[in-house]
Each structure stands twice: as C-alpha cells, then as structure tokens.
C-alpha cells in the first residue's frame, strides 16, 4: 500500500462498517478533488485520474483552490451580510481548510450546517471532524434523490425549511449527466427553499467558439472524466444559468470563480481553467 493509501486507511480505521463500503479500486470524485487540493485522503486510483487530468489542464489544482475560495467568500457573505443561519451543503466532499461550518460559525456561532455526500469516506471523516459540534452534521445521501435529502431526519433535525436556507451546490451538478435530469433536480431543491433563501453553485463551463482553445480543453477534460469517473459535463453559460430558474442573481452574476466578489488581496491564477469553472449566487424572493 502506498503512503497516501496507508494514510487514508488509517483515517478510517475503527469504522469497519463504513470501511467495508469504501471501494479503493474505483476513483471517487471527492478523493480526486482531495488530490487536487493537496490532501492525503486519496488512493492510487484517484491519483491516476488526477494525474491524467493534469496532463490536459496543468492548472486543475488552481481551479480546485479557486472553488474553495469562492465557497468561503459566499458563505462569509451569506452569514455576515445576508444573515443566513442555515447552510445545506450537498456534494460537500472531504473536509479541507475553511469548511462551511468554520466560516459560517466564525460569523454566527449558532449557525447550523449540514454536509451531504454520497461517498462513505466523507461520512467517516465528517463524523470525526464534527464529533463535538452540535450545530453541524454530515449525512450520506445522493443528490439524485432530492426527496430522500429533503426528508432526511438528520437534515430535518438541524434545518428548518420554514426559515431561510443557503443551499450550496458547489462542483456537484456537473457530475450529473443530462439523462439524470439535473435541471429537474435543481428545480426540486429550489422549490423546497422558503422565501429569503439563497442558491449558490459552481459548475464546469465550456465557453464555446468565442474561446476555441479553452473550449477544446474543456471538451478534452469532459472526455477524460466520462471515461474514468463516469461523470463530468462542461455546460454552456445558458445551461448553467438555467439551474437558477427565475431566481435573480446577486452581482456580479455568473462569472469565473475568482471574479465573484474577490477579497482585495486575493491572488488570482489565470490558467486555462480560469474560464471553465464559473459560479454564482441567487436569492429567492
């Protein structure tokens, strides 16, 4: 077993039931992202996919970091400026620096956060991280079953859907293939949000013929993801905007991640993935 495999194995020791369900022979989206972010909770198969991606997009780790920085800015804005005290993070991935609950609770200590992911290793790590945090939990569920998420007792115990909620869909909808009806899934979640709620999402983006080199890179990355991870769609701007339905977007709209209300001293890495990863935030009137 490689060193990182040993590290990941150590992290889940003592959790026999969850450990038995973790298939280390197949790549995991959460663990590939962990590899890009410089984490150690990934296995050889995850690193193989990550390294293949780097051959197409050498700045892919920068895209991962930009996504996490975007998430932190969004959560800080929603907690500090919009007064949101409930956060539902679907497709949360493995814990890393600047988790949603850390950012939100730094502003509002009583903010409630629920992480949702379909990878059992996320559940294991989340339970360890949140063992002493009564305002935050992690549940294992799949975004492709909105009803199971919206009715999950662990989620309902912390999230009151009669009060404003921040629904976070970061780097998750692009892992739903078209035949899985991602638009319908997004609409179901939007419909469940009460007035005053927010929908924030990030998504892989193909800018089309206006940026031919970037568009070709996006197409190559999409081919790689679908061959090795089974999912990955670089959608057009119009397709991504449709996930917001008729909800009005906050300024500056749907933009490359680094352009959404950057901090004054924030460093921006403008590699080839800069225009292939976009995000936005909308409010439900």
């Amino acid at each position: 077993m490689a060193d990182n495999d040993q590290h990941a194995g150590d992290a889940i020791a003592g959790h026999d039931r969850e450990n038995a369900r973790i298939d280390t022979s197949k790549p995991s989206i959460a663990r590939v992202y962990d590899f890009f972010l410089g984490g150690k909770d990934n296995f050889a198969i995850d690193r193989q996919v990550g390294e293949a991606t780097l051959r197409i997009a050498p700045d892919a780790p920068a895209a991962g970091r930009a996504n996490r920085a975007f998430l932190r800015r969004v959560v800080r804005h929603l907690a500090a400026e919009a007064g949101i005290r409930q956060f539902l993070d679907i497709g949360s991935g493995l814990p890393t620096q600047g988790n949603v609950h850390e950012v939100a609770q730094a502003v509002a200590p009583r903010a409630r956060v629920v992480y949702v992911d379909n990878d059992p290793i996320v559940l294991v790590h989340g339970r360890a991280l949140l063992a002493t945090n009564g305002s935050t939990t992690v549940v294992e569920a799949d975004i492709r079953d909105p009803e199971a998420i919206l009715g999950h007792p662990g989620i309902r115990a912390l999230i009151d859907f009669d009060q404003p909620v921040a629904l976070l869909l970061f780097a998750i909808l692009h892992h739903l293939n078209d035949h899985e009806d991602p638009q319908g899934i997004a609409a179901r979640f939007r419909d469940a949000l009460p007035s005053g709620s927010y929908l924030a999402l990030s998504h892989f983006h193909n800018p089309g013929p206006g940026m031919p080199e970037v568009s070709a890179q996006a197409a190559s990355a999409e081919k790689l993801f679908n061959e090795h991870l089974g999912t990955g769609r670089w959608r057009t701007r119009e397709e991504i905007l449709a996930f917001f339905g008729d909800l009005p977007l906050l300024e500056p709209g749907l933009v490359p991640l680094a352009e959404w209300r950057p901090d004054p001293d924030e460093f921006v890495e403008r590699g080839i993935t800069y225009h292939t990863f976009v995000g936005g935030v909308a409010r439900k009137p």
Side-chain angles (χ1 to χ4, degrees), residues 67 70-71 74 88-92 116 143 149 166-174 176 182 185-187 189-190 193 198-204 243-244 277-280:
N67 187 54
F70 171 57
L71 179 145
V74 168
L88 179 58
D89 184 1
I90 302 178
S92 57
V116 180
I143 190 174
I149 291 175
L167 174 62
L168 310 179
L169 301 178
F170 285 78
I172 180 64
L173 290 172
H174 55 227
L176 297 181
I185 290 170
F189 283 113
R190 288 198 311 271
L193 297 176
Y198 290 81
L199 167 60
L201 66 84
S202 61
H203 197 291
F204 291 157
F243 289 125
F244 293 102
F277 209 168
V278 298

Side-chain angles (χ1 to χ4, degrees), residues 29 33 36-37 59-75 89-94 96-98 100 168-175 200-204 255-260 266-267 269 273-274 276-280:
I29 292 167
Y33 277 119
F36 286 147
L37 292 169
D59 66 332
R65 291 191 295 271
N67 187 54
R68 294 300 302 186
F70 171 57
L71 179 145
R72 290 191 292 268
R73 295 196 306 274
V74 168
V75 171
D89 184 1
I90 302 178
S92 57
L94 284 157
T96 187
Q97 186 178 9
V100 172
L168 310 179
L169 301 178
F170 285 78
I172 180 64
L173 290 172
H174 55 227
H175 290 301
L201 66 84
S202 61
H203 197 291
F204 291 157
V255 293
L257 301 179
E259 294 181 17
W260 199 91
E266 195 161 344
F267 175 72
E269 299 176 71
T273 64
Y274 184 83
T276 63
F277 209 168
V278 298

Side-chain angles (χ1 to χ4, degrees), residues 41-170:
D41 300 313
N42 50 75
F43 297 96
I45 189 65
D46 307 305
R47 295 190 290 277
Q48 288 172 17
V49 173
E51 288 161 0
T53 302
L54 290 175
R55 288 193 287 272
I56 297 173
D59 66 332
R65 291 191 295 271
N67 187 54
R68 294 300 302 186
F70 171 57
L71 179 145
R72 290 191 292 268
R73 295 196 306 274
V74 168
V75 171
R76 186 171 67 238
H77 170 79
L78 294 181
E81 306 298 328
I84 296 297
R85 296 295 180 263
Q86 304 186 109
F87 294 82
L88 179 58
D89 184 1
I90 302 178
S92 57
L94 284 157
T96 187
Q97 186 178 9
N99 293 294
V100 172
H101 73 281
E102 294 169 331
V103 177
Q105 291 169 2
V107 174
R110 299 183 67 181
R112 301 184 299 280
V113 178
V114 176
Y115 297 107
V116 180
D117 204 281
N118 67 348
D119 189 329
I121 199 172
V122 174
L123 185 66
V124 173
H125 281 269
R127 284 176 174 172
L129 177 69
L130 304 170
T132 61
N133 190 322
S135 297
T136 307
T137 192
V138 57
V139 302
E140 186 181 351
D142 196 308
I143 190 174
R144 289 168 290 194
D145 190 352
E147 301 307 325
I149 291 175
L150 294 170
H152 194 289
I155 295 174
R156 287 283 178 175
L158 284 182
I159 302 295
D160 178 359
F161 283 96
D162 290 327
Q163 299 296 323
V165 177
L167 174 62
L168 310 179
L169 301 178
F170 285 78

Side-chain angles (χ1 to χ4, degrees), residues 200-218:
L201 66 84
S202 61
H203 197 291
F204 291 157
H205 172 235
N206 189 324
M211 295 183 175
E213 181 183 357
V214 176
S215 181
Q217 181 270 337

